[in-house]
Amino acid sequence: MLAVLAVSYASSLRAYLQQRGSIDALEAQIAQREEKIDDLKDEKKRWEDPAYVAQQARARFGYVAKGETPFVVVDADGNPLDASAELGDPAQVADPDRQTWYEDAWESMKIAGDPPTKVRAPKDQIKAPKEDLAQ
């Protein structure tokens, strides 16, 4: 008798747990969709703002207000870049041999703290470039 009751309750418990899992999944789906509805309501409110509409017209269609000067960024071939274009890596563009200002300043401070002991003697005569002498 106990075995029959245990099997009966086990199948009922399994059905209950399956239904509870389905209910939890559906509640999560409802919460997700309600959140999406709230996001869409917020976006609808933004579209009611004339400043937001003007901003979107500028970004999406390139509209400009009266009296403004529009600029178009082009690539090396002269083709306009779209909004999805990404900037390149500055490390690849910059000259690797050229030092930045703070590196120059640091080198200057290191030299000031440990000045060179050998100094070249000044030249007796300064020569002007030939182009200047021809005038």
Side-chain angles (χ1 to χ4, degrees):
M1 186 72 161
L2 288 175
V4 171
L5 285 174
V7 169
S8 172
Y9 286 138
S11 64
S12 299
L13 181 63
R14 185 175 51 98
Y16 171 77
L17 292 176
Q18 284 177 345
Q19 290 174 356
R20 193 70 226 158
S22 297
I23 289 171
D24 290 341
L26 290 173
E27 286 176 348
Q29 186 179 19
I30 289 170
Q32 182 182 21
R33 291 192 179 168
E34 285 177 347
E35 185 177 320
K36 184 163 176 96
I37 289 171
D38 291 340
D39 291 343
L40 291 172
K41 285 180 181 177
D42 291 342
E43 186 174 345
K44 183 181 174 190
K45 286 180 186 176
R46 279 186 294 215
W47 279 104
E48 292 171 0
D49 182 15
Y52 181 76
V53 173
Q55 176 196 16
Q56 291 300 312
R58 287 173 186 264
R60 293 182 183 193
F61 306 117
Y63 287 4
V64 293
K66 194 174 195 177
E68 291 181 348
T69 304
F71 293 97
V72 178
V73 180
V74 295
D75 60 8
D77 298 328
N79 300 323
L81 294 176
D82 59 349
S84 65
E86 295 181 11
L87 294 175
D89 184 14
Q92 294 177 352
V93 177
D95 183 12
D97 297 331
R98 186 170 178 214
Q99 290 185 332
T100 57
W101 67 269
Y102 52 85
E103 291 172 332
D104 287 337
W106 182 247
E107 290 297 322
S108 173
M109 289 175 59
K110 287 196 309 191
I111 291 173
D114 186 23
T117 55
K118 284 186 166 183
V119 179
R120 290 184 286 147
K123 292 191 174 187
D124 295 335
Q125 201 174 31
I126 299 175
K127 295 183 181 180
K130 292 180 183 179
E131 304 90 45
D132 293 342
L133 295 175
Q135 294 177 358

CSV table of all heavy atoms in Angstrom, one decimal, residues 105-135:
chain,number,residue,atom,x,y,z
A,105,ALA,N,60.2,66.0,-22.2
A,105,ALA,CA,60.4,66.7,-20.9
A,105,ALA,C,61.1,65.8,-19.9
A,105,ALA,O,62.0,66.3,-19.2
A,105,ALA,CB,59.0,67.1,-20.3
A,106,TRP,N,60.8,64.5,-19.9
A,106,TRP,CA,61.5,63.6,-19.0
A,106,TRP,C,63.0,63.5,-19.4
A,106,TRP,O,63.8,63.5,-18.5
A,106,TRP,CB,60.8,62.3,-19.0
A,106,TRP,CG,61.5,61.3,-18.1
A,106,TRP,CD1,62.2,60.2,-18.4
A,106,TRP,CD2,61.5,61.4,-16.6
A,106,TRP,NE1,62.6,59.5,-17.2
A,106,TRP,CE2,62.2,60.3,-16.1
A,106,TRP,CE3,61.0,62.3,-15.7
A,106,TRP,CZ2,62.4,60.1,-14.8
A,106,TRP,CZ3,61.2,62.1,-14.4
A,106,TRP,CH2,61.9,61.0,-13.9
A,107,GLU,N,63.3,63.4,-20.6
A,107,GLU,CA,64.7,63.3,-21.1
A,107,GLU,C,65.4,64.6,-20.7
A,107,GLU,O,66.6,64.6,-20.2
A,107,GLU,CB,64.8,63.2,-22.6
A,107,GLU,CG,64.3,61.8,-23.1
A,107,GLU,CD,65.2,60.7,-22.6
A,107,GLU,OE1,66.4,60.9,-22.5
A,107,GLU,OE2,64.7,59.6,-22.3
A,108,SER,N,64.8,65.8,-20.8
A,108,SER,CA,65.4,67.0,-20.4
A,108,SER,C,65.7,67.0,-18.9
A,108,SER,O,66.7,67.5,-18.4
A,108,SER,CB,64.4,68.2,-20.7
A,108,SER,OG,64.9,69.4,-20.2
A,109,MET,N,64.8,66.5,-18.1
A,109,MET,CA,65.0,66.4,-16.6
A,109,MET,C,66.1,65.5,-16.3
A,109,MET,O,66.9,65.8,-15.4
A,109,MET,CB,63.7,66.0,-15.9
A,109,MET,CG,62.6,67.1,-16.0
A,109,MET,SD,61.0,66.6,-15.3
A,109,MET,CE,61.5,66.2,-13.6
A,110,LYS,N,66.2,64.4,-17.0
A,110,LYS,CA,67.3,63.5,-16.7
A,110,LYS,C,68.6,64.1,-17.1
A,110,LYS,O,69.6,63.9,-16.3
A,110,LYS,CB,67.1,62.2,-17.5
A,110,LYS,CG,66.0,61.3,-17.0
A,110,LYS,CD,66.0,59.9,-17.5
A,110,LYS,CE,66.1,59.7,-19.0
A,110,LYS,NZ,65.9,58.3,-19.4
A,111,ILE,N,68.7,64.8,-18.2
A,111,ILE,CA,69.9,65.5,-18.5
A,111,ILE,C,70.3,66.6,-17.5
A,111,ILE,O,71.4,66.8,-17.2
A,111,ILE,CB,69.8,66.1,-20.0
A,111,ILE,CG1,69.8,65.0,-21.0
A,111,ILE,CG2,71.0,67.1,-20.3
A,111,ILE,CD1,69.5,65.4,-22.4
A,112,ALA,N,69.3,67.3,-17.0
A,112,ALA,CA,69.5,68.4,-16.1
A,112,ALA,C,70.1,67.8,-14.8
A,112,ALA,O,70.9,68.4,-14.1
A,112,ALA,CB,68.2,69.2,-15.8
A,113,GLY,N,69.6,66.7,-14.4
A,113,GLY,CA,70.1,66.0,-13.2
A,113,GLY,C,71.5,65.4,-13.3
A,113,GLY,O,72.2,65.3,-12.3
A,114,ASP,N,71.9,65.1,-14.5
A,114,ASP,CA,73.2,64.5,-14.8
A,114,ASP,C,73.7,65.1,-16.1
A,114,ASP,O,73.7,64.5,-17.1
A,114,ASP,CB,73.0,63.0,-14.9
A,114,ASP,CG,74.4,62.3,-15.0
A,114,ASP,OD1,75.4,62.9,-14.6
A,114,ASP,OD2,74.4,61.2,-15.6
A,115,PRO,N,74.2,66.3,-16.0
A,115,PRO,CA,74.7,67.0,-17.2
A,115,PRO,C,75.9,66.3,-17.8
A,115,PRO,O,76.7,65.7,-17.1
A,115,PRO,CB,75.1,68.4,-16.7
A,115,PRO,CG,75.3,68.3,-15.3
A,115,PRO,CD,74.5,67.1,-14.8
A,116,PRO,N,76.0,66.4,-19.2
A,116,PRO,CA,77.2,65.8,-19.8
A,116,PRO,C,78.5,66.5,-19.4
A,116,PRO,O,78.5,67.7,-19.2
A,116,PRO,CB,76.9,66.0,-21.3
A,116,PRO,CG,75.9,67.1,-21.4
A,116,PRO,CD,75.1,67.1,-20.1
A,117,THR,N,79.5,65.6,-19.3
A,117,THR,CA,80.8,66.2,-18.8
A,117,THR,C,81.6,66.7,-20.0
A,117,THR,O,82.5,67.6,-19.8
A,117,THR,CB,81.6,65.1,-18.1
A,117,THR,OG1,81.7,63.9,-18.9
A,117,THR,CG2,80.9,64.7,-16.8
A,118,LYS,N,81.4,66.1,-21.2
A,118,LYS,CA,82.2,66.6,-22.3
A,118,LYS,C,81.3,67.6,-23.1
A,118,LYS,O,80.2,67.2,-23.5
A,118,LYS,CB,82.5,65.4,-23.3
A,118,LYS,CG,83.6,64.5,-22.8
A,118,LYS,CD,83.9,63.5,-23.9
A,118,LYS,CE,85.2,62.9,-23.6
A,118,LYS,NZ,85.6,61.9,-24.7
A,119,VAL,N,81.8,68.7,-23.3
A,119,VAL,CA,81.1,69.8,-24.0
A,119,VAL,C,82.0,70.2,-25.2
A,119,VAL,O,83.2,70.4,-25.1
A,119,VAL,CB,80.8,71.0,-23.2
A,119,VAL,CG1,80.1,72.1,-23.9
A,119,VAL,CG2,80.0,70.6,-21.9
A,120,ARG,N,81.3,70.2,-26.4
A,120,ARG,CA,82.1,70.6,-27.6
A,120,ARG,C,82.6,72.1,-27.5
A,120,ARG,O,81.8,72.9,-26.9
A,120,ARG,CB,81.2,70.5,-28.8
A,120,ARG,CG,80.9,69.0,-29.2
A,120,ARG,CD,80.2,68.9,-30.5
A,120,ARG,NE,78.8,69.4,-30.2
A,120,ARG,CZ,78.0,70.0,-31.1
A,120,ARG,NH1,78.5,70.3,-32.3
A,120,ARG,NH2,76.8,70.3,-30.8
A,121,ALA,N,83.7,72.3,-28.0
A,121,ALA,CA,84.2,73.7,-28.0
A,121,ALA,C,83.4,74.5,-29.0
A,121,ALA,O,83.0,73.9,-30.1
A,121,ALA,CB,85.7,73.7,-28.3
A,122,PRO,N,83.2,75.8,-28.8
A,122,PRO,CA,82.4,76.6,-29.7
A,122,PRO,C,83.3,76.8,-31.0
A,122,PRO,O,84.5,76.8,-31.0
A,122,PRO,CB,82.2,77.9,-29.0
A,122,PRO,CG,83.2,77.9,-27.9
A,122,PRO,CD,83.5,76.5,-27.6
A,123,LYS,N,82.6,76.9,-32.1
A,123,LYS,CA,83.2,77.1,-33.4
A,123,LYS,C,83.6,78.6,-33.4
A,123,LYS,O,83.0,79.5,-32.9
A,123,LYS,CB,82.3,76.8,-34.5
A,123,LYS,CG,82.1,75.3,-34.6
A,123,LYS,CD,81.4,74.9,-35.9
A,123,LYS,CE,81.3,73.4,-36.0
A,123,LYS,NZ,80.8,73.0,-37.3
A,124,ASP,N,84.8,78.9,-34.1
A,124,ASP,CA,85.2,80.2,-34.2
A,124,ASP,C,84.4,81.0,-35.2
A,124,ASP,O,84.2,82.2,-35.0
A,124,ASP,CB,86.7,80.3,-34.6
A,124,ASP,CG,87.6,79.6,-33.6
A,124,ASP,OD1,87.2,79.6,-32.4
A,124,ASP,OD2,88.7,79.1,-33.9
A,125,GLN,N,84.0,80.4,-36.2
A,125,GLN,CA,83.3,81.1,-37.3
A,125,GLN,C,82.0,80.4,-37.7
A,125,GLN,O,82.0,79.2,-37.8
A,125,GLN,CB,84.2,81.1,-38.5
A,125,GLN,CG,84.0,82.2,-39.5
A,125,GLN,CD,85.0,82.3,-40.6
A,125,GLN,OE1,85.6,81.2,-40.9
A,125,GLN,NE2,85.3,83.4,-41.1
A,126,ILE,N,81.0,81.2,-37.8
A,126,ILE,CA,79.7,80.6,-38.2
A,126,ILE,C,79.5,80.9,-39.7
A,126,ILE,O,79.7,82.0,-40.2
A,126,ILE,CB,78.5,81.3,-37.5
A,126,ILE,CG1,78.7,81.0,-36.0
A,126,ILE,CG2,77.2,80.8,-38.0
A,126,ILE,CD1,77.7,81.7,-35.1
A,127,LYS,N,79.2,79.8,-40.5
A,127,LYS,CA,79.1,80.0,-41.9
A,127,LYS,C,77.6,80.0,-42.3
A,127,LYS,O,76.8,79.2,-41.8
A,127,LYS,CB,79.8,78.8,-42.6
A,127,LYS,CG,81.3,78.8,-42.5
A,127,LYS,CD,81.9,77.7,-43.2
A,127,LYS,CE,83.4,77.7,-43.0
A,127,LYS,NZ,84.0,76.6,-43.8
A,128,ALA,N,77.2,80.9,-43.1
A,128,ALA,CA,75.9,81.1,-43.6
A,128,ALA,C,75.6,80.1,-44.7
A,128,ALA,O,76.6,79.8,-45.4
A,128,ALA,CB,75.6,82.5,-44.0
A,129,PRO,N,74.4,79.7,-45.0
A,129,PRO,CA,74.2,78.8,-46.1
A,129,PRO,C,74.5,79.5,-47.4
A,129,PRO,O,74.4,80.8,-47.5
A,129,PRO,CB,72.7,78.5,-46.0
A,129,PRO,CG,72.3,78.8,-44.6
A,129,PRO,CD,73.3,79.8,-44.1
A,130,LYS,N,74.8,78.8,-48.4
A,130,LYS,CA,75.2,79.4,-49.7
A,130,LYS,C,74.1,80.2,-50.4
A,130,LYS,O,74.3,81.2,-51.0
A,130,LYS,CB,75.7,78.3,-50.7
A,130,LYS,CG,77.0,77.6,-50.2
A,130,LYS,CD,77.4,76.5,-51.2
A,130,LYS,CE,78.6,75.8,-50.7
A,130,LYS,NZ,79.0,74.8,-51.6
A,131,GLU,N,72.8,79.8,-50.1
A,131,GLU,CA,71.7,80.5,-50.7
A,131,GLU,C,71.7,81.9,-50.2
A,131,GLU,O,71.4,82.9,-50.9
A,131,GLU,CB,70.4,79.8,-50.4
A,131,GLU,CG,70.2,78.4,-50.8
A,131,GLU,CD,70.7,77.4,-49.8
A,131,GLU,OE1,70.3,77.6,-48.6
A,131,GLU,OE2,71.4,76.5,-50.1
A,132,ASP,N,72.0,82.1,-48.9
A,132,ASP,CA,71.9,83.4,-48.3
A,132,ASP,C,73.1,84.3,-48.8
A,132,ASP,O,73.0,85.5,-48.9
A,132,ASP,CB,72.0,83.3,-46.7
A,132,ASP,CG,70.7,82.7,-46.2
A,132,ASP,OD1,69.7,82.7,-46.9
A,132,ASP,OD2,70.7,82.2,-45.0
A,133,LEU,N,74.2,83.7,-49.0
A,133,LEU,CA,75.4,84.4,-49.5
A,133,LEU,C,75.2,84.9,-50.9
A,133,LEU,O,75.8,85.9,-51.3
A,133,LEU,CB,76.6,83.6,-49.4
A,133,LEU,CG,77.0,83.3,-47.9
A,133,LEU,CD1,78.2,82.3,-47.9
A,133,LEU,CD2,77.3,84.5,-47.1
A,134,ALA,N,74.4,84.2,-51.7
A,134,ALA,CA,74.2,84.5,-53.1
A,134,ALA,C,73.4,85.8,-53.3
A,134,ALA,O,73.5,86.5,-54.3
A,134,ALA,CB,73.5,83.4,-53.8
A,135,GLN,N,72.7,86.2,-52.3
A,135,GLN,CA,71.8,87.4,-52.4
A,135,GLN,C,72.7,88.6,-52.2
A,135,GLN,O,72.9,89.5,-52.1
A,135,GLN,CB,70.7,87.4,-51.4
A,135,GLN,CG,69.7,86.3,-51.7
A,135,GLN,CD,68.6,86.2,-50.7
A,135,GLN,OE1,68.6,86.9,-49.7
A,135,GLN,NE2,67.7,85.3,-50.9
